[in-house]
C-alpha cells in the first residue's frame, strides 16, 4: 500500500502538469476533456483485444471512428 501511495504522488503531479500544458495549448479545459476521452477510447478497444481477446464489433469500430473525428475537430 505504501508503494502505491509513493508511486501515486509523482503520477498525480505529472497528470496535473500535462493538464496544465494541454490547457495552454488548446485554450480550454473542455478541449482537454475531449482530447483525453478520445485518446482513452482509442486505446481501450485495442487493449481489451490484446489482453482479453475481445474482437472489434461494428459498434466498437464506429466508436473508434467517432473518437478520431473528435480528435481531429479538437486539434484543428
Amino acid at each position: 500500500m505504501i508503494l502505491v501511495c509513493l508511486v501515486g504522488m509523482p503520477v498525480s503531479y505529472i497528470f496535473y502538469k500535462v493538464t496544465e500544458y494541454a490547457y495552454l495549448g488548446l485554450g480550454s479545459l473542455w478541449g482537454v476533456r475531449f482530447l483525453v476521452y478520445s485518446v482513452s477510447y482509442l486505446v481501450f478497444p485495442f487493449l481489451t483485444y490484446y489482453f482479453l481477446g475481445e474482437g472489434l464489433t461494428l459498434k466498437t469500430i464506429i466508436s473508434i471512428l467517432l473518437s478520431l473525428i473528435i480528435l481531429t475537430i479538437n486539434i484543428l
Side-chain angles (χ1 to χ4, degrees):
M1 182 70 165
I2 294 196
L3 178 63
V4 171
C5 291
L6 290 175
V7 171
M9 287 186 288
V11 170
S12 297
Y13 178 74
I14 291 169
F15 180 76
Y16 172 78
K17 292 308 276 186
V18 167
T19 303
E20 181 182 348
Y21 291 138
Y23 173 74
L24 292 174
L26 294 174
S28 73
L29 284 176
W30 279 104
V32 175
R33 183 182 188 277
F34 287 132
L35 181 72
V36 170
Y37 169 76
S38 299
V39 170
S40 71
Y41 202 84
L42 283 175
V43 171
F44 185 76
F46 297 107
L47 289 178
T48 55
Y49 172 74
Y50 182 76
F51 288 111
L52 300 176
E54 290 187 17
L56 296 175
T57 62
L58 180 62
K59 183 171 90 171
T60 307
I61 293 170
I62 291 172
S63 297
I64 290 170
L65 291 175
L66 288 173
S67 66
L68 285 172
I69 291 170
I70 291 172
L71 274 175
T72 305
I73 290 171
N74 210 10
I75 292 174
L76 298 177

